[in-house]
Amino acid sequence: MSQLHPDHTFRSKRASKQLAAPHLRALRKEILIVRADVERMELVQATVELRQAVTHFSWLKFFVPGFGGMRWGAPKGNAAGIAGLLKQYPLLSSLASLLLAKPLRATVAAGAKPAIKWGSVAFAAWEAYRIWQQVKQDNRDAKAGATSDA
């Protein structure tokens, strides 16, 4: 929420003379606190709306562990402690993802490359075997047809 007008734009000259500088600072502080509360509530409302919009994606439970049984209101068991820590210290989750992202990504990539390579070799061998079986069957059928015609 950006402030379009400076603080002194809507002040009357009489009001500024009646309030001393400490009173004005206290009033400004209260206004800022109220503005922060309003923005916080808007963020909470936007988060609730986003969660409600995403709950119909039931296929997410296949990709996100624990999404199927997740309740947005109250986490269960040890998750409550972890979720509480992550809400209290958001930097903690950022650091954890930073530390885990590269090693996990490297491990998955290192395991996927040989699997793809050997999987494609096995698939090619299987297709060659099937083609060889079809050719062999066609030759038997051709010989059986030639002997029955004669």
Side-chain angles (χ1 to χ4, degrees), residues 39-59:
E39 288 180 1
R40 193 174 301 118
M41 291 307 292
E42 288 174 352
L43 179 65
V44 167
Q45 181 63 31
T47 304
V48 167
E49 289 174 3
L50 178 67
R51 286 179 178 165
Q52 288 174 350
V54 180
T55 53
H56 68 277
F57 291 122
S58 62
W59 53 269

Side-chain angles (χ1 to χ4, degrees), residues 5-147:
H5 303 286
D7 284 339
H8 58 80
T9 302
F10 298 109
R11 258 194 237 153
S12 68
K13 297 194 189 287
R14 196 174 117 222
S16 64
K17 289 180 183 175
Q18 288 176 352
L19 294 176
H23 296 310
L24 287 175
R25 281 193 298 270
L27 181 63
R28 193 175 301 133
K29 179 181 174 184
E30 289 299 320
I31 290 172
L32 290 173
I33 289 171
V34 169
R35 187 181 298 163
D37 287 340
V38 168
E39 288 180 1
R40 193 174 301 118
M41 291 307 292
E42 288 174 352
L43 179 65
V44 167
Q45 181 63 31
T47 304
V48 167
E49 289 174 3
L50 178 67
R51 286 179 178 165
Q52 288 174 350
V54 180
T55 53
H56 68 277
F57 291 122
S58 62
W59 53 269
L60 278 178
K61 65 184 172 188
F62 297 114
F63 298 110
V64 180
F67 185 78
M70 185 182 302
R71 293 189 184 194
W72 296 110
K76 302 179 194 173
N78 289 338
I82 293 170
L85 278 176
L86 293 179
K87 282 183 181 178
Q88 190 174 4
Y89 304 106
L91 187 62
L92 188 66
S93 64
S94 299
L95 289 174
S97 71
L98 181 68
L99 293 174
L100 295 175
K102 184 165 175 33
L104 182 63
R105 187 174 54 236
T107 303
V108 169
K113 285 179 184 178
I116 291 171
K117 181 175 83 172
W118 289 110
S120 61
V121 167
F123 180 72
W126 174 252
E127 286 298 317
Y129 175 74
R130 286 185 50 211
I131 291 170
W132 178 70
Q133 287 285 6
Q134 287 176 350
V135 168
K136 195 167 140 181
Q137 185 65 30
D138 289 344
N139 285 343
R140 283 187 197 150
D141 292 342
K143 285 182 183 179
T147 56

